[in-house]
Every structure is written in structure tokens, then in C-alpha cells.
Amino acid sequence: MENNSYNVATININTITNPTKLNALHSFLRTLDIDIVFLQEVENEQLSLPGYNVICNVDHAKRGTAIALKEHIQFSNVEKSLDSRLTSLRINNTTLCNIYAPSGTAMRAERERFYNNTLAYYLRHPTEHVILAGDFNCVLRQCDATGSNTSPALQATIQQMQLHDVWVKLCPQVPGYTYVTHNSSSRLDRFYISPSLLNHLRNANTHVCSFTNHKAVTVRICLPHLGREPGRGYWSLRPHLLTTENIDEFKIKWQYWTRQRRNFQSWTEWWLKIAKPKIKSFFRWLSKLAFDDFHREHQRLYNQLRRAYDCYYQNPSMLKTINQLKAQMLVHQRKFTHMFVRNNETYIAGEPMSTFQLGERRKKRTIITKLQTENDNMLERSEDIEQHMLEYFRKMYATDETPNDRDTDFVSNRVIPENDEANNVSMREITTAEILAAIKTSAPKKSPGSDGLPREFYLRTFNVIHRELNLVMNEVLQANFTAEFVDSVIVLVKKKKTD
């Protein structure tokens, strides 16, 4: 089977529920392009991450575990321990097991029972590959902690299953501490893999985070093909870019673009070849500037935070600096998130949406992972689903030269009377006021189409583009346009209450 390279992470998120910290977590996953993430100390059983399927296991103690996989990755055999400290599942022939072991000296006996009984039970079914990850709250080597916190039970389980520590394999000379305080350091968060995956490892890293007191651990590894990830989709203009300053700059650009009309035979041709591409290019450039500014400042703060952590064990006074840098990163994240979210998407009746409501809304963003054909065949591979739908619509929209019995009564030579009132009203010149009224009465938050220009764009820039838009609309009224002008996009939507 074909192997592909995937980014896998494990993060103890320290029971975060704050929206800004959750957004920081999502930014982390997006920036590093994480495909699969193991989460520990999960408090919210409704945890939602855009673009991921999240399998949570949270009990009354609110110290749960979760595994999040990109939406196109299919999984099965989900199992959850009753104490919420373990979640496992399978992807193809690979077992993923995420654990959050009991912590502290007082819980040593319970931790040993957890490794002897709970972990052994959930790894009872052999598969070709195994990835065991999480917060183990103990170490197996003295060099992985500044104190003594070893676990004979975990040592026995790892040896019995012949699992290998990824960090020891790839970075044997680097301490790789993931939990650091002023008087101790430990490599609590880590990955173990089966021998079959040793030759498929690419790299491993640790990352400081603003949203938790643990470092995240990431591993790049080759796994059997998990399905093709959906493309990035069509670009869409974000309304936050429609500021007064940006529209003033857009006006100057628009005046230059309209002068190029003389190079085209019609306004509709100019609209397709110059106006829309230039509008898209201009606002994509503004969006890129905003993202670049965010990531540049975030990277600056991140580098300072990493250096502060490196000094923390030897210099306890660095804790104040660490907390200040985390606060700055979260403030920076909050400003960035607020700028990129529409008010009408985060407010209901004038009140902010709760994290739960946001989670419920995000859950509706699903992709089709299974499709039953007219022959009752079940397609599960993304490539097979795509090919089937292409053939389906190609056949549906193909030219049929055979006369259709339903059309035999259609009178093709029908002539509309010259002075028909309804026809004259519908064919009269479209006014600027009518165009504006149509835009204002259109529904908000609708898909903008392949050009990516939403209703908000036309409302905010109408005073700039109304003359040219009027000329384009009246040319279309006279059937003066090419087939490209009416291009559209068909999107398959998963029906409710279906598998």
C-alpha cells in the first residue's frame, strides 16, 4: 500500500476552555499542518477544532483525552476507558492510543495499575502498526527527568510490545524536556511506535505553546495512505478587509483598471478578464499582509518564549517573563482572531456566542466520507467518490440528441407580442438604484461563488463600482456575454440523518 508522510502531535492542553487559547491551539495545528493530534487534560466533551473530527473521552473529573484527525481521515474501532484517561482507535491497519496517566508521587500505585491493567487491555488487539502517545507522567530513563519518577509497569509493557521511543530514536543526545518548572524538568510527553514504523520516521520536535504549560511534541512519520485531503477550495474575500483605508486604496486601483476597458470589445469581457481577477488579486494581497504580520509577530514572541524556557530551570525568576510572553501571544492571537471573524457569525441577538454554540456550528462542516451508488455499492475512498460524481454529472449534463417525449408539445416558434407589457418591463434598462436594492435585499452569509466576492463586497464598494456594474448588467440583459460569464460550481452537501 502507498505510504504518505503525516504530521502527528501530542499536547497536554491543561483543561483550556478560554476561546482565545482554543484559537491559539487551532493556529498551532494550522501552522504546523498537523494531521493527527493526541490531546490530554481535555475538559470540554464538546471540544471542536475546525477541519478535524474530534473523538473525546471526558468524565466528571474533566481530565479527559481526545484524538483529533483531519476530516478526510477515516477511523474505526473507537474505544474509551471509563476513567477518561485513554482513547484508542484504528486508521486502516494502525492502532492509535492516547493516554493521560495519573500524576504525582501520591498516585504512583494507581499509575502502575493503569499501565498494568488499563493500557494492556486497550492494546489487546494486534495490528500491523501501533502509535502510543500522550502524557505518561513518568519516565523510563533517569536522564529524561531531573528527579526520580520511573515506572516499572510501563517499562514492562513497552518491552513486551517491543515499542520504541521516537525521541530516543531520532534525538538521542537532546534532553527534550516537555514539562519544566523552576526546580524540575521531565520528558513526560512522548511517542512510542511499533518496530514496523521505525524506518518510516522522518523527524521529531518540541514546541513551546502560549495555551498550555506543557510543550507540544510533533513527529513526522510515513503511514499507509489515509485518503486524499480535500483541496483548499475557492478563495473568498473576508469582510474584515473592507476597511475605509483599504477601500480608498481600492478606489485608486479601480480607476486604473477601468481605463483598460478600451482593450476589450465589451464591458462583460472586461469584467471577466480584468475587473474580477484584479479585485481578487488586490484583496488576496491585503489578506496575505495581515497573515504575514500576525505570523511575524507570533514568531518573534515564540522565539523569546523558547529562550525563556531554556533558562527557566537554572533561573526561576524567568517564570515571570514566561507568563508575560504567553500573555502577549494570547493578546496577539485574540486581536487577530477578532479581526478575521464576522460580527454576524459570532453574535446572536447582540450577544456573543458560547464556545458550545461555536462547536455545534463547526460540527456541521462535514465532508462526504461514504457514498452509496445507485447500484447499492458503498464507496469510501475519496478518489472513488470523486470519480463517481464526475461521471454522474458528466452524464447528467451531456448533450442528448434523442428527442425527449416531454418536449414534443413545446412550441419553438412562439413569438412574444411586440408591445407585451410584461416583456417590456423585464427588458427595460436596469437602473443603479435597482442594482443597489437587489444587493441590499439579498441574503447575507451566502456562498459568493467561484469569484469569491460576497454580498458585503458589493455593499461596501458600491459607490466605487456602480457605474461599471450598471454597464455590465445591461449588457447581460441584451444577451451580450460569453458562456464563461455564467460558470458555476456544484457542491455536494451531505444530507442530514444519513451515514
Side-chain angles (χ1 to χ4, degrees):
M1 182 180 292
E2 177 188 1
N3 283 350
N4 293 89
S5 183
Y6 296 94
N7 285 323
V8 188
T10 179
I11 316 173
N12 182 320
I13 60 174
N14 199 25
T15 70
I16 60 173
T17 56
N18 179 282
T20 300
K21 290 187 176 182
L22 289 172
N23 285 325
L25 168 61
H26 184 234
S27 291
F28 173 85
L29 300 178
R30 183 182 63 245
T31 301
L32 295 183
D33 191 24
I34 302 298
D35 299 288
I36 303 170
V37 57
F38 298 76
L39 302 172
Q40 303 87 42
E41 286 205 69
V42 178
E43 179 172 328
N44 181 13
E45 63 182 353
Q46 300 293 334
L47 176 66
S48 178
L49 297 171
Y52 292 82
N53 286 317
V54 185
I55 300 90
C56 290
N57 182 14
V58 180
D59 66 359
H60 65 280
K62 303 296 184 182
R63 286 288 196 268
T65 51
I67 300 178
L69 311 96
K70 281 189 176 178
E71 287 183 335
H72 70 281
I73 299 177
Q74 297 186 18
F75 57 91
S76 62
N77 299 84
V78 174
E79 292 189 307
K80 304 176 180 180
S81 67
L82 294 178
D83 59 6
S84 79
R85 289 188 176 275
L86 186 149
T87 302
S88 69
L89 53 82
R90 292 185 197 174
I91 49 173
N92 294 334
N93 55 356
T94 303
T95 295
L96 305 183
C97 186
N98 178 27
I99 71 168
Y100 173 55
S103 62
T105 304
M107 303 287 283
R108 184 186 298 273
E110 183 179 345
R111 185 165 58 247
E112 293 297 282
R113 286 193 296 271
F114 174 80
Y115 288 131
N116 276 325
N117 302 323
T118 306
L119 179 59
Y121 176 79
Y122 287 96
L123 292 177
R124 67 193 183 280
H125 297 300
T127 54
E128 183 177 356
H129 309 302
V130 174
I131 299 178
L132 171 63
D135 181 353
F136 292 81
N137 274 315
C138 65
V139 296
L140 299 185
R141 307 184 308 168
Q142 291 293 343
C143 62
D144 286 332
T146 53
S148 178
N149 188 22
T150 57
S151 169
L154 178 60
Q155 181 76 61
T157 301
I158 296 302
Q159 290 178 350
Q160 184 176 0
M161 296 195 63
Q162 298 181 335
L163 298 180
H164 296 264
D165 189 325
V166 170
W167 192 263
V168 174
K169 175 69 176 179
L170 295 177
C171 313
Q173 305 303 320
V174 181
Y177 298 136
T178 62
Y179 185 72
V180 182
T181 67
H182 70 278
N183 59 3
S184 67
S185 299
S186 302
R187 191 167 65 86
L188 304 180
D189 311 85
R190 53 192 185 269
F191 282 90
Y192 292 100
I193 62 171
S194 54
S196 57
L197 290 174
L198 281 177
N199 294 329
H200 298 278
L201 291 173
R202 295 297 176 263
N203 58 60
N205 290 288
T206 60
H207 310 264
V208 293
C209 303
S210 61
F211 51 87
T212 178
N213 57 358
H214 282 248
K215 292 183 181 180
V217 182
T218 60
V219 173
R220 189 154 189 89
I221 187 171
C222 287
L223 295 172
H225 183 57
L226 303 181
R228 195 181 70 181
E229 185 173 0
R232 298 186 63 183
Y234 287 93
W235 171 83
S236 179
L237 189 154
R238 294 177 180 268
H240 80 276
L241 295 173
L242 298 171
T243 63
T244 301
E245 180 182 355
N246 288 343
I247 291 176
D248 288 343
E249 187 173 357
F250 171 77
K251 182 177 181 179
I252 297 173
K253 300 283 187 181
W254 184 259
Q255 292 171 350
Y256 172 72
W257 299 335
T258 54
R259 290 199 293 270
Q260 299 183 46
R261 160 67 180 86
R262 60 180 179 269
N263 299 323
F264 299 90
Q265 296 182 357
S266 65
W267 280 104
T268 53
E269 184 182 5
W270 168 84
W271 178 255
L272 291 173
K273 301 293 180 61
I274 291 295
K276 282 194 175 182
K278 293 293 186 182
I279 293 170
K280 181 177 180 179
S281 176
F282 174 72
F283 283 104
R284 287 190 72 169
W285 171 69
L286 290 176
S287 182
K288 183 177 183 301
L289 287 181
F291 273 96
D292 287 348
D293 287 344
F294 168 76
H295 288 297
R296 189 181 301 109
E297 177 63 11
H298 183 274
Q299 188 63 40
R300 184 185 71 82
L301 294 172
Y302 174 86
N303 291 336
Q304 292 183 12
L305 181 61
R306 193 172 189 96
R307 288 194 295 269
Y309 262 110
D310 291 341
C311 301
Y312 182 32
Y313 177 67
Q314 301 294 336
N315 184 4
S317 64
M318 292 301 295
L319 178 61
K320 181 179 179 181
T321 302
I322 288 173
N323 290 334
Q324 289 175 342
L325 288 169
K326 285 186 175 182
Q328 292 178 46
M329 293 176 73
L330 292 173
V331 168
H332 184 54
Q333 177 70 53
R334 183 169 62 249
K335 291 180 178 178
F336 177 76
T337 302
H338 179 74
M339 180 178 66
F340 271 73
V341 176
R342 303 183 191 179
N343 287 338
N344 57 3
E345 287 185 347
T346 54
Y347 286 78
I348 296 179
E351 296 183 359
M353 294 177 66
S354 67
T355 305
F356 174 77
Q357 289 170 316
L358 282 173
E360 286 300 298
R361 176 165 296 190
R362 288 168 178 167
K363 283 183 180 179
K364 297 177 182 178
R365 301 178 184 177
T366 59
I367 62 174
I368 296 174
T369 57
K370 293 182 180 180
L371 182 68
Q372 186 171 354
T373 69
E374 55 273 18
N375 298 326
D376 291 332
N377 294 326
M378 184 64 70
L379 304 179
E380 297 185 3
R381 295 178 67 249
S382 56
E383 295 85 349
D384 296 337
I385 294 174
E386 179 181 353
Q387 185 60 36
H388 176 81
M389 297 315 304
L390 284 174
E391 293 299 327
Y392 177 85
F393 283 104
R394 184 179 289 115
K395 181 179 179 180
M396 176 182 289
Y397 291 106
T399 302
D400 188 357
E401 298 180 357
T402 304
N404 192 319
D405 293 339
R406 294 177 302 175
D407 298 333
T408 55
D409 296 331
F410 180 76
V411 181
S412 60
N413 59 351
R414 181 185 177 196
V415 178
I416 299 176
E418 183 176 349
N419 294 320
D420 184 83
E421 182 178 356
N423 183 63
N424 291 339
V425 170
S426 63
M427 294 302 294
R428 73 187 181 191
E429 182 175 311
I430 302 172
T431 66
T432 300
E434 288 175 327
I435 297 175
L436 180 58
I439 296 172
K440 286 184 175 181
T441 55
S442 61
K445 298 192 295 181
K446 294 297 182 181
S447 174
S450 58
D451 59 18
L453 302 180
R455 169 181 179 265
E456 292 87 346
F457 165 77
Y458 292 99
L459 282 175
R460 294 297 305 277
T461 65
F462 191 78
N463 290 336
V464 178
I465 68 173
H466 68 85
R467 174 181 172 274
E468 291 74 23
L469 188 59
N470 185 296
L471 293 168
V472 170
M473 292 295 100
N474 281 290
E475 277 193 2
V476 173
L477 185 65
Q478 302 301 322
N480 183 17
F481 59 89
T482 63
E484 183 184 358
F485 191 86
V486 291
D487 280 351
S488 61
V489 179
I490 297 174
V491 178
L492 301 180
V493 179
K494 182 178 179 180
K495 292 184 178 180
K496 295 181 179 179
K497 298 181 181 179
T498 58
D499 293 333

